[in-house]
Amino acid sequence: MSSSSSSSSFGISRENLPSTKVIVSSAASIIASAVFFRSVIYELVPDSVQNYFSNLSNRLSSQLTIVIDEFDGLTANQLFESANLYLGSIVSSATRRIKVSKPPREKELSVTVDKNQQIIDFHKNVKLTWILISERIDNSPSKNATSSANLRRFEMSFYKKHKDFVLRDYFTFILKSANEMKDRVKTLKLHTVDYNGTDYWGWTALDHPATFETMAMDLETKMELMEDLDTFVRRKEYYKKVGRAWKRGYLLYGPPGTGKSSLVAAMANYLRFNVYDLDLGEVQCNSDLRRLLIGTGNRSILVIEDIDCSIGLKNRESETDDHEDEKITLSGLLNFIDGLWSSCGDERIIVFTTNHKDKLDPALLRPGRMDMHIHMSFCTFGGFKILAANYLGVEDHPLFGEIKDLLEQVKVTPAEVAGELMRKSEAKYSLSSLVDFLKSKQVVDC
Protein backbone atom coordinates (compact mmCIF):
# COMPACT_ATOMS: atom_id res chain seq x y z
CA MET A 1 0.00 0.00 0.00
CA SER A 2 1.40 3.41 -0.97
CA SER A 3 1.88 6.23 1.49
CA SER A 4 -0.73 8.35 -0.26
CA SER A 5 -3.35 5.63 -0.01
CA SER A 6 -2.38 5.10 3.66
CA SER A 7 -2.91 8.77 4.42
CA SER A 8 -6.19 8.84 2.54
CA SER A 9 -7.43 5.82 4.47
CA PHE A 10 -7.33 7.96 7.61
CA GLY A 11 -9.02 10.84 5.88
CA ILE A 12 -5.81 12.90 5.64
CA SER A 13 -4.17 14.08 2.47
CA ARG A 14 -0.93 15.98 1.90
CA GLU A 15 -3.02 18.93 0.74
CA ASN A 16 -4.71 19.05 4.18
CA LEU A 17 -1.43 19.07 6.21
CA PRO A 18 -0.53 22.50 7.70
CA SER A 19 2.58 24.20 6.38
CA THR A 20 5.75 24.71 8.45
CA LYS A 21 5.05 28.44 8.55
CA VAL A 22 1.62 27.85 10.06
CA ILE A 23 3.06 25.46 12.69
CA VAL A 24 5.77 27.93 13.77
CA SER A 25 3.25 30.77 13.89
CA SER A 26 0.88 28.73 16.06
CA ALA A 27 3.68 27.72 18.44
CA ALA A 28 4.77 31.33 18.80
CA SER A 29 1.20 32.36 19.60
CA ILE A 30 0.92 29.65 22.27
CA ILE A 31 4.23 30.70 23.90
CA ALA A 32 3.23 34.36 23.83
CA SER A 33 -0.09 33.51 25.45
CA ALA A 34 1.68 31.48 28.17
CA VAL A 35 4.03 34.34 28.92
CA PHE A 36 1.07 36.76 29.02
CA PHE A 37 -0.96 34.62 31.42
CA ARG A 38 2.12 34.07 33.60
CA SER A 39 2.66 37.82 33.89
CA VAL A 40 -1.03 38.29 34.70
CA ILE A 41 -0.77 35.66 37.46
CA TYR A 42 2.27 37.42 38.94
CA GLU A 43 0.38 40.72 38.85
CA LEU A 44 -2.92 39.50 40.26
CA VAL A 45 -2.02 36.62 42.59
CA PRO A 46 -0.69 37.79 45.99
CA ASP A 47 2.94 37.03 46.84
CA SER A 48 1.88 34.95 49.84
CA VAL A 49 -0.11 32.64 47.58
CA GLN A 50 2.75 32.39 45.07
CA ASN A 51 5.23 31.60 47.88
CA TYR A 52 2.88 28.95 49.26
CA PHE A 53 2.73 27.07 45.98
CA SER A 54 6.46 27.52 45.44
CA ASN A 55 7.22 26.06 48.88
CA LEU A 56 4.74 23.28 48.27
CA SER A 57 6.53 22.40 45.05
CA ASN A 58 9.87 22.34 46.83
CA ARG A 59 8.51 20.09 49.59
CA LEU A 60 7.12 17.67 47.05
CA SER A 61 10.44 17.52 45.20
CA SER A 62 12.75 14.62 46.07
CA GLN A 63 15.89 16.70 45.42
CA LEU A 64 17.87 18.84 47.88
CA THR A 65 20.39 21.48 46.80
CA ILE A 66 23.25 22.62 49.03
CA VAL A 67 24.88 25.97 48.26
CA ILE A 68 28.60 26.36 49.03
CA ASP A 69 29.70 29.99 48.70
CA GLU A 70 33.33 30.87 47.98
CA PHE A 71 33.42 33.27 50.93
CA ASP A 72 31.75 33.34 54.32
CA GLY A 73 31.68 37.09 54.79
CA LEU A 74 35.32 38.10 54.27
CA THR A 75 36.68 34.66 55.15
CA ALA A 76 37.48 32.11 52.45
CA ASN A 77 35.29 29.01 52.65
CA GLN A 78 37.58 26.00 53.05
CA LEU A 79 34.89 23.64 51.76
CA PHE A 80 34.59 25.63 48.50
CA GLU A 81 38.35 25.53 47.98
CA SER A 82 38.49 21.80 48.70
CA ALA A 83 35.52 21.04 46.42
CA ASN A 84 37.10 23.08 43.61
CA LEU A 85 40.31 21.08 43.89
CA TYR A 86 38.56 17.71 44.29
CA LEU A 87 36.18 18.20 41.35
CA GLY A 88 39.10 19.19 39.14
CA SER A 89 40.53 15.72 39.74
CA ILE A 90 37.39 13.81 38.69
CA VAL A 91 36.43 15.61 35.47
CA SER A 92 35.36 13.11 32.82
CA SER A 93 35.29 13.06 29.04
CA ALA A 94 31.76 14.50 29.25
CA THR A 95 33.12 17.75 30.73
CA ARG A 96 33.45 20.32 27.98
CA ARG A 97 35.40 23.06 29.79
CA ILE A 98 38.04 23.06 32.54
CA LYS A 99 40.36 25.75 33.90
CA VAL A 100 44.12 25.23 34.08
CA SER A 101 46.59 27.55 35.81
CA LYS A 102 50.24 27.56 36.93
CA PRO A 103 50.63 28.99 40.46
CA PRO A 104 53.79 31.12 40.91
CA ARG A 105 56.88 29.07 41.83
CA GLU A 106 54.84 25.86 41.94
CA LYS A 107 55.83 22.84 39.83
CA GLU A 108 52.42 21.36 39.07
CA LEU A 109 49.49 22.68 37.02
CA SER A 110 46.25 23.43 38.87
CA VAL A 111 43.11 21.98 37.24
CA THR A 112 39.64 23.19 38.31
CA VAL A 113 36.15 23.18 36.80
CA ASP A 114 34.78 26.11 34.83
CA LYS A 115 31.47 27.82 35.52
CA ASN A 116 28.18 26.27 34.38
CA GLN A 117 29.81 22.86 33.85
CA GLN A 118 27.87 19.99 35.38
CA ILE A 119 30.02 17.45 37.24
CA ILE A 120 28.48 14.19 38.43
CA ASP A 121 30.16 12.28 41.25
CA PHE A 122 29.30 8.92 42.80
CA HIS A 123 30.40 8.36 46.39
CA LYS A 124 29.44 5.07 48.01
CA ASN A 125 26.76 4.58 45.32
CA VAL A 126 25.17 7.98 46.00
CA LYS A 127 24.81 10.28 42.99
CA LEU A 128 25.78 13.92 43.54
CA THR A 129 25.45 16.60 40.87
CA TRP A 130 27.67 19.69 41.08
CA ILE A 131 27.62 22.94 39.13
CA LEU A 132 29.72 26.08 39.59
CA ILE A 133 27.74 29.34 39.44
CA SER A 134 29.50 32.67 38.89
CA GLU A 135 27.65 35.98 39.11
CA ARG A 136 29.05 39.41 38.41
CA ILE A 137 28.17 41.91 41.13
CA ASP A 138 28.55 45.66 40.86
CA ASN A 139 30.47 46.90 43.91
CA SER A 140 30.30 50.58 43.07
CA PRO A 141 27.53 52.92 44.33
CA SER A 142 27.97 54.98 41.18
CA LYS A 143 26.26 53.83 38.01
CA ASN A 144 29.11 55.21 35.93
CA ALA A 145 31.83 53.28 37.80
CA THR A 146 33.14 49.97 36.52
CA SER A 147 34.10 48.36 39.84
CA SER A 148 32.64 44.85 40.03
CA ALA A 149 33.43 41.37 41.32
CA ASN A 150 32.52 37.78 40.61
CA LEU A 151 30.71 35.89 43.34
CA ARG A 152 31.12 32.15 42.95
CA ARG A 153 29.30 29.27 44.56
CA PHE A 154 28.84 25.57 44.08
CA GLU A 155 25.34 24.13 43.96
CA MET A 156 25.20 20.42 44.69
CA SER A 157 21.99 18.43 44.25
CA PHE A 158 21.07 14.96 45.49
CA TYR A 159 18.17 12.99 46.92
CA LYS A 160 16.93 14.45 50.21
CA LYS A 161 17.20 11.11 51.98
CA HIS A 162 21.01 11.35 51.72
CA LYS A 163 21.31 14.68 53.56
CA ASP A 164 22.95 13.29 56.72
CA PHE A 165 25.30 11.14 54.63
CA VAL A 166 26.42 14.16 52.60
CA LEU A 167 26.94 16.44 55.61
CA ARG A 168 28.78 13.91 57.77
CA ASP A 169 30.54 11.59 55.34
CA TYR A 170 30.83 13.11 51.88
CA PHE A 171 32.05 16.57 52.91
CA THR A 172 34.59 15.02 55.29
CA PHE A 173 35.80 12.85 52.40
CA ILE A 174 36.19 15.92 50.13
CA LEU A 175 38.17 17.88 52.74
CA LYS A 176 40.48 14.94 53.36
CA SER A 177 40.95 14.19 49.64
CA ALA A 178 41.76 17.83 48.87
CA ASN A 179 44.37 17.96 51.64
CA GLU A 180 46.01 14.80 50.33
CA MET A 181 46.08 16.18 46.78
CA LYS A 182 47.64 19.43 47.97
CA ASP A 183 50.31 17.51 49.84
CA ARG A 184 51.14 15.38 46.78
CA VAL A 185 51.56 18.27 44.35
CA LYS A 186 52.71 21.13 46.54
CA THR A 187 56.23 22.47 46.27
CA LEU A 188 57.99 21.99 49.59
CA LYS A 189 59.45 25.25 50.86
CA LEU A 190 62.61 26.02 52.74
CA HIS A 191 62.05 29.20 54.76
CA THR A 192 64.97 31.29 56.01
CA VAL A 193 65.09 34.51 58.04
CA ASP A 194 64.43 37.60 55.92
CA TYR A 195 64.00 40.87 57.81
CA ASN A 196 62.82 42.55 54.61
CA GLY A 197 59.76 40.32 54.43
CA THR A 198 56.39 41.04 55.98
CA ASP A 199 56.72 38.14 58.44
CA TYR A 200 60.53 37.96 58.63
CA TRP A 201 60.58 34.82 56.46
CA GLY A 202 61.62 34.33 52.85
CA TRP A 203 61.49 31.02 51.04
CA THR A 204 62.83 28.97 48.18
CA ALA A 205 61.83 25.57 46.83
CA LEU A 206 63.13 22.64 48.86
CA ASP A 207 64.50 20.26 46.24
CA HIS A 208 66.67 18.12 48.51
CA PRO A 209 66.48 14.51 47.22
CA ALA A 210 67.06 12.81 50.58
CA THR A 211 64.60 10.11 51.60
CA PHE A 212 64.60 7.51 54.35
CA GLU A 213 65.49 4.91 51.72
CA THR A 214 68.68 6.80 50.81
CA MET A 215 69.73 7.69 54.37
CA ALA A 216 72.88 5.81 55.43
CA MET A 217 71.94 5.43 59.08
CA ASP A 218 71.28 2.61 61.50
CA LEU A 219 68.29 0.64 60.20
CA GLU A 220 66.72 0.15 63.64
CA THR A 221 66.98 3.87 64.42
CA LYS A 222 65.54 4.73 61.04
CA MET A 223 62.52 2.48 61.47
CA GLU A 224 61.93 3.78 65.01
CA LEU A 225 61.94 7.37 63.74
CA MET A 226 59.54 6.63 60.86
CA GLU A 227 57.16 4.88 63.24
CA ASP A 228 57.32 7.83 65.64
CA LEU A 229 56.51 10.28 62.84
CA ASP A 230 53.59 8.15 61.63
CA THR A 231 52.20 7.99 65.16
CA PHE A 232 52.55 11.75 65.61
CA VAL A 233 50.64 12.80 62.48
CA ARG A 234 47.65 10.54 63.13
CA ARG A 235 47.12 11.45 66.80
CA LYS A 236 45.42 14.84 66.51
CA GLU A 237 42.44 13.80 68.61
CA TYR A 238 44.71 12.20 71.21
CA TYR A 239 46.71 15.41 71.72
CA LYS A 240 43.46 17.33 72.02
CA LYS A 241 42.06 14.83 74.49
CA VAL A 242 45.05 14.98 76.84
CA GLY A 243 45.28 18.77 76.57
CA ARG A 244 48.70 19.00 74.91
CA ALA A 245 49.87 21.02 71.93
CA TRP A 246 50.17 18.98 68.73
CA LYS A 247 53.95 19.23 68.42
CA ARG A 248 56.93 16.91 68.60
CA GLY A 249 60.59 17.59 69.35
CA TYR A 250 63.69 15.76 68.07
CA LEU A 251 67.35 16.14 68.93
CA LEU A 252 69.85 15.01 66.29
CA TYR A 253 73.34 14.71 67.69
CA GLY A 254 76.63 13.34 66.46
CA PRO A 255 79.86 14.43 64.72
CA PRO A 256 79.80 16.62 61.58
CA GLY A 257 79.12 14.78 58.32
CA THR A 258 76.85 12.13 59.80
CA GLY A 259 73.77 13.34 57.88
CA LYS A 260 71.83 15.49 60.36
CA SER A 261 70.76 18.04 57.74
CA SER A 262 69.95 15.31 55.21
CA LEU A 263 67.78 13.58 57.80
CA VAL A 264 65.76 16.78 58.25
CA ALA A 265 65.20 16.88 54.47
CA ALA A 266 64.18 13.20 54.51
CA MET A 267 61.65 13.93 57.27
CA ALA A 268 60.24 16.85 55.26
CA ASN A 269 59.91 14.75 52.11
CA TYR A 270 58.32 11.89 54.06
CA LEU A 271 55.70 14.06 55.79
CA ARG A 272 55.36 16.69 53.03
CA PHE A 273 56.10 19.40 55.62
CA ASN A 274 57.73 22.76 54.88
CA VAL A 275 61.00 23.56 56.68
CA TYR A 276 61.82 26.73 58.64
CA ASP A 277 65.58 27.02 59.12
CA LEU A 278 66.16 29.33 62.08
CA ASP A 279 69.70 30.65 62.49
CA LEU A 280 69.64 32.11 66.00
CA GLY A 281 72.74 34.12 65.17
CA GLU A 282 70.60 36.27 62.86
CA VAL A 283 67.90 36.95 65.46
CA GLN A 284 68.31 40.35 67.08
CA CYS A 285 66.31 39.95 70.29
CA ASN A 286 63.66 37.88 72.07
CA SER A 287 60.80 39.93 70.57
CA ASP A 288 62.06 39.18 67.05
CA LEU A 289 62.31 35.51 68.00
CA ARG A 290 58.64 35.52 69.04
CA ARG A 291 57.60 37.12 65.75
CA LEU A 292 59.61 34.58 63.75
CA LEU A 293 58.10 31.64 65.60
CA ILE A 294 54.55 32.97 65.20
CA GLY A 295 55.22 33.31 61.45
CA THR A 296 55.82 29.58 61.00
CA GLY A 297 52.96 27.61 59.46
CA ASN A 298 51.13 24.42 60.35
CA ARG A 299 52.53 21.10 59.12
CA SER A 300 56.07 22.41 59.33
CA ILE A 301 59.50 21.55 60.73
CA LEU A 302 61.37 24.24 62.64
CA VAL A 303 65.12 23.53 62.56
CA ILE A 304 67.64 25.12 64.91
CA GLU A 305 71.05 23.83 63.91
CA ASP A 306 74.13 23.71 66.15
CA ILE A 307 72.15 24.74 69.21
CA ASP A 308 75.27 24.41 71.37
CA CYS A 309 76.99 27.15 69.35
CA SER A 310 74.11 29.61 69.23
CA ILE A 311 74.89 33.07 70.48
CA GLY A 312 73.37 34.00 73.82
CA LEU A 313 72.06 30.54 74.68
CA LYS A 314 73.68 30.28 78.07
CA ASN A 315 72.67 27.83 80.73
CA ARG A 316 69.72 29.23 82.59
CA GLU A 317 71.71 29.20 85.85
CA SER A 318 74.17 31.67 84.29
CA GLU A 319 71.54 34.07 82.96
CA THR A 320 71.66 37.24 85.06
CA ASP A 321 70.86 40.87 84.57
CA ASP A 322 74.36 41.26 83.11
CA HIS A 323 73.19 39.35 80.02
CA GLU A 324 70.36 41.71 79.06
CA ASP A 325 72.33 42.80 75.99
CA GLU A 326 72.53 39.24 74.64
CA LYS A 327 70.67 38.81 71.38
CA ILE A 328 68.45 36.05 72.72
CA THR A 329 68.35 33.89 75.82
CA LEU A 330 67.70 30.24 76.42
CA SER A 331 64.81 31.15 78.73
CA GLY A 332 63.25 33.26 75.99
CA LEU A 333 63.46 30.40 73.53
CA LEU A 334 62.17 27.72 75.88
CA ASN A 335 59.35 29.80 77.31
CA PHE A 336 58.06 30.69 73.89
CA ILE A 337 58.27 27.16 72.51
CA ASP A 338 56.40 25.85 75.54
CA GLY A 339 53.94 28.73 75.59
CA LEU A 340 52.50 30.86 72.79
CA TRP A 341 54.17 29.04 69.88
CA SER A 342 52.67 25.76 71.08
CA SER A 343 49.14 27.13 71.03
CA CYS A 344 49.12 29.00 67.71
CA GLY A 345 49.33 26.07 65.29
CA ASP A 346 49.05 22.34 64.68
CA GLU A 347 51.35 19.55 63.50
CA ARG A 348 54.56 21.35 64.42
CA ILE A 349 57.90 19.59 64.63
CA ILE A 350 60.98 21.21 66.11
CA VAL A 351 64.45 19.77 65.45
CA PHE A 352 67.61 20.75 67.31
CA THR A 353 70.95 19.59 65.97
CA THR A 354 74.24 19.54 67.82
CA ASN A 355 77.71 18.05 67.54
CA HIS A 356 78.08 18.02 71.34
CA LYS A 357 75.06 16.78 73.27
CA ASP A 358 76.97 17.00 76.56
CA LYS A 359 77.20 20.78 76.25
CA LEU A 360 73.44 21.34 76.20
CA ASP A 361 71.42 22.64 79.12
CA PRO A 362 69.41 19.76 80.61
CA ALA A 363 66.28 21.94 80.25
CA LEU A 364 66.47 21.45 76.49
CA LEU A 365 66.58 17.69 76.71
CA ARG A 366 63.55 16.86 78.79
CA PRO A 367 60.50 15.14 77.20
CA GLY A 368 57.99 17.60 75.79
CA ARG A 369 60.81 19.62 74.27
CA MET A 370 63.07 16.96 72.83
CA ASP A 371 60.86 13.87 72.81
CA MET A 372 63.29 11.68 70.87
CA HIS A 373 67.10 11.79 70.85
CA ILE A 374 68.63 10.39 67.66
CA HIS A 375 72.33 9.57 67.56
CA MET A 376 73.80 10.15 64.10
CA SER A 377 76.77 7.78 64.23
CA PHE A 378 79.77 7.03 62.07
CA CYS A 379 79.23 4.93 58.96
CA THR A 380 78.41 1.28 59.52
CA PHE A 381 78.58 -1.50 56.95
CA GLY A 382 74.80 -1.33 56.59
CA GLY A 383 75.04 2.39 55.89
CA PHE A 384 77.82 1.78 53.38
CA LYS A 385 75.65 -0.71 51.45
CA ILE A 386 72.93 1.93 51.12
CA LEU A 387 75.48 4.44 49.82
CA ALA A 388 76.94 1.90 47.38
CA ALA A 389 73.48 1.19 45.98
CA ASN A 390 72.71 4.92 45.69
CA TYR A 391 75.98 6.10 44.17
CA LEU A 392 77.20 3.05 42.26
CA GLY A 393 74.09 0.95 41.70
CA VAL A 394 75.72 -2.16 43.19
CA GLU A 395 74.41 -4.35 45.99
CA ASP A 396 77.36 -6.74 46.22
CA HIS A 397 81.02 -6.81 45.21
CA PRO A 398 84.16 -8.87 46.08
CA LEU A 399 85.57 -5.84 47.95
CA PHE A 400 82.55 -5.62 50.30
CA GLY A 401 84.11 -8.07 52.79
CA GLU A 402 87.32 -6.06 53.12
CA ILE A 403 85.35 -2.82 53.45
CA LYS A 404 83.22 -4.34 56.21
CA ASP A 405 86.33 -5.29 58.21
CA LEU A 406 87.83 -1.83 57.79
CA LEU A 407 84.63 -0.02 58.83
CA GLU A 408 84.67 -1.98 62.08
CA GLN A 409 88.16 -0.64 62.82
CA VAL A 410 88.02 3.02 61.77
CA LYS A 411 85.60 5.90 62.31
CA VAL A 412 84.46 7.60 59.11
CA THR A 413 81.33 9.60 58.45
CA PRO A 414 78.77 8.77 55.73
CA ALA A 415 79.78 12.05 54.04
CA GLU A 416 83.41 10.87 53.79
CA VAL A 417 82.36 7.50 52.36
CA ALA A 418 80.04 9.17 49.85
CA GLY A 419 82.86 11.47 48.76
CA GLU A 420 85.11 8.50 47.97
CA LEU A 421 82.36 6.67 46.08
CA MET A 422 81.85 9.70 43.84
CA ARG A 423 85.48 9.90 42.76
CA LYS A 424 85.18 7.31 39.97
CA SER A 425 82.37 6.43 37.58
CA GLU A 426 83.01 2.66 37.68
CA ALA A 427 82.23 0.66 40.81
CA LYS A 428 85.49 -1.30 41.00
CA TYR A 429 87.61 1.88 40.92
CA SER A 430 85.39 3.72 43.42
CA LEU A 431 85.44 0.80 45.85
CA SER A 432 89.21 0.41 45.49
CA SER A 433 89.56 4.13 46.23
CA LEU A 434 87.40 3.69 49.34
CA VAL A 435 89.54 0.76 50.53
CA ASP A 436 92.70 2.89 50.19
CA PHE A 437 91.02 5.76 52.06
CA LEU A 438 89.92 3.50 54.93
CA LYS A 439 93.42 2.02 55.22
CA SER A 440 94.91 5.51 55.42
CA LYS A 441 92.41 6.37 58.19
CA GLN A 442 93.41 3.13 59.96
CA VAL A 443 97.04 4.24 60.01
CA VAL A 444 96.13 7.70 61.36
CA ASP A 445 93.89 6.26 64.07
CA CYS A 446 96.65 3.93 65.20
Side-chain angles (χ1 to χ4, degrees), residues 21 47 96 231 250-251 253-254 256 265 272 305 315 389 395 443:
K21 183 176 180 180
D47 290 342
R96 298 179 60 188
T231 300
Y250 298 91
L251 174 68
Y253 66 97
R272 304 302 296 168
E305 296 193 75
N315 287 347
E395 297 182 357
V443 173

Side-chain angles (χ1 to χ4, degrees), residues 132-192:
L132 177 63
I133 307 296
S134 179
E135 296 177 344
R136 197 165 185 83
I137 305 297
D138 186 5
N139 287 332
S140 173
S142 171
K143 292 183 179 180
N144 297 324
T146 58
S147 176
S148 61
N150 287 325
L151 295 182
R152 300 191 302 167
R153 68 180 185 275
F154 278 113
E155 292 187 358
M156 185 188 63
S157 302
F158 53 91
Y159 285 116
K160 288 180 179 179
K161 64 181 180 180
H162 298 308
K163 184 184 73 172
D164 290 342
F165 165 80
V166 169
L167 295 177
R168 297 175 184 174
D169 185 290
Y170 185 55
F171 284 161
T172 300
F173 165 75
I174 287 179
L175 291 169
K176 181 180 179 181
S177 298
N179 285 333
E180 291 175 351
M181 284 186 282
K182 284 189 286 187
D183 281 343
R184 284 197 300 268
V185 303
K186 78 175 183 180
T187 298
L188 292 185
K189 299 177 178 64
L190 173 62
H191 298 263
T192 53

Side-chain angles (χ1 to χ4, degrees), residues 71-82:
F71 292 95
D72 182 10
L74 297 177
T75 305
N77 186 345
Q78 183 184 357
L79 183 56
F80 179 93
E81 178 188 0
S82 297

Side-chain angles (χ1 to χ4, degrees), residues 392-405:
L392 304 177
V394 296
E395 297 182 357
D396 196 13
H397 192 276
L399 289 175
F400 273 23
E402 184 176 2
I403 291 173
K404 179 181 179 181
D405 292 338

Side-chain angles (χ1 to χ4, degrees), residues 379-385 396-410 412 431 434-435 438 442:
C379 190
T380 63
F381 181 65
F384 157 74
K385 291 181 68 176
D396 196 13
H397 192 276
L399 289 175
F400 273 23
E402 184 176 2
I403 291 173
K404 179 181 179 181
D405 292 338
L406 288 168
L407 286 174
E408 292 174 352
Q409 301 174 43
V410 300
V412 292
L431 295 174
L434 177 59
V435 168
L438 293 176
Q442 186 179 34

